[in-house]
Amino acid sequence: MAASKVDSRAIWRYRLLADLPKKLGTYTYKRLHQLGVEVYLLSKVTRVTFESLHLQNDEIIPTATVIWTAGLEANYPTTSEEVSSANKGKLLVHPTLQLLEQPNIYAIGDLAYMEQHGKPLTGVAPEALQQGVAVARNIQRQFRGKSPEPFSYFNKGRLAIIGCYSGVGKIGAFAFTGCLAWLMWLGVHLVYLPGYRSRLLVLLTWLHTYLLRDRSVRLILSMKER
């Protein structure tokens, strides 16, 4: 979507990237506006048809294509015994990531509700990766007759890409924006790919895409250009 319909004062209350510092959310909002993306922060979607999108404020957006990315809800196998759950169906777990009612069952990632320093974990991929390692170690400890250890998430930092060579990031106490955050986002995703062949293939694809400006599938066009 393109230019904003939202009162600028509302950005501070309902903002993008709420898990990052406020200034990064504001930068993202302004950068999207520059790219021609229209952001609606206060209007919930009430109805989707084949030809339009209906908002809570009675505004109708004509469109033939709707991409819904409103988050997810935990999906776990049905059990004979009831299990305690929290918001979005997440399962309540002990600090060791074991279910409250069934200590021999673990839950991680988007499926587990766990708080650290008084705040719930957000369910991002780095959390799930660290939780997977912690659970594997706890299962090994149980096999050796030892008690499982509590999980503690180590936040290495957060990065988000906006597009057109810009992004935002926060590592420790340092928050940054622009091309540096974009390059770091690319580097991190390249490093975490499994296998040197996959990394080389992706790197060559990126170089071809950006050097030759082959970006037809990522264009954001205004209504006048369509």
Side-chain angles (χ1 to χ4, degrees):
M1 300 176 181
S4 170
K5 301 282 186 184
V6 183
D7 187 327
S8 59
R9 292 172 298 179
I11 302 174
W12 301 102
R13 186 179 177 189
Y14 299 90
R15 58 188 177 88
L16 302 175
L17 302 176
D19 296 325
L20 291 174
K22 186 181 298 182
K23 64 179 181 180
L24 298 185
T26 303
Y27 171 86
T28 302
Y29 177 89
K30 292 178 178 178
R31 188 73 183 100
L32 289 173
H33 177 76
Q34 293 172 356
L35 294 173
V37 177
E38 190 168 322
V39 180
Y40 293 77
L41 294 176
L42 300 178
S43 299
K44 295 182 180 180
V45 176
T46 58
R47 185 185 176 198
V48 178
T49 70
F50 290 106
E51 299 177 346
S52 61
L53 186 75
H54 296 245
L55 302 180
Q56 193 176 38
N57 60 0
D58 296 328
E59 184 172 356
I60 299 176
I61 303 174
T63 180
T65 303
V66 175
I67 301 175
W68 190 261
T69 58
L72 52 84
E73 184 173 319
N75 183 19
Y76 54 87
T78 56
T79 61
S80 56
E81 300 181 21
E82 289 196 10
V83 292
S84 301
S85 61
N87 188 33
K88 296 183 179 180
K90 293 187 176 184
L91 301 177
L92 292 174
V93 296
H94 291 289
T96 55
L97 299 172
Q98 297 167 290
L99 295 190
L100 300 186
E101 297 84 0
Q102 303 184 43
N104 288 330
I105 299 179
Y106 291 84
I108 66 172
D110 296 322
L111 193 60
Y113 179 87
M114 178 182 175
E115 293 186 358
Q116 187 167 302
H117 306 305
K119 295 181 179 180
L121 296 180
T122 56
V124 293
E127 293 174 0
L129 289 172
Q130 293 184 31
Q131 287 175 338
V133 174
V135 166
R137 290 174 178 170
N138 278 342
I139 292 175
Q140 290 178 334
R141 290 180 62 85
Q142 286 183 294
F143 279 133
R144 294 195 294 264
K146 297 181 179 180
S147 300
E149 294 181 335
F151 168 74
S152 179
Y153 172 59
F154 176 68
N155 189 354
K156 299 178 182 179
R158 298 286 297 275
L159 294 166
I161 191 170
I162 302 173
C164 294
Y165 310 103
S166 61
V168 296
K170 182 178 184 296
I171 298 179
F174 300 97
F176 42 90
T177 62
C179 188
L180 175 61
W182 176 76
L183 288 172
M184 292 184 67
W185 185 93
L186 294 179
V188 167
H189 282 72
L190 195 65
V191 168
Y192 276 94
L193 283 176
Y196 291 101
R197 182 177 298 179
S198 298
R199 296 172 191 167
L200 180 60
L201 178 61
V202 171
L203 179 60
L204 292 175
T205 301
W206 284 350
L207 290 174
H208 176 270
T209 298
Y210 288 104
L211 293 178
L212 299 182
R213 298 185 180 276
D214 180 19
R215 300 173 58 82
S216 57
V217 296
R218 290 179 295 278
L219 289 178
I220 299 177
L221 301 176
S222 65
M223 295 301 295
K224 294 181 181 179
E225 296 175 301
R226 295 177 182 176

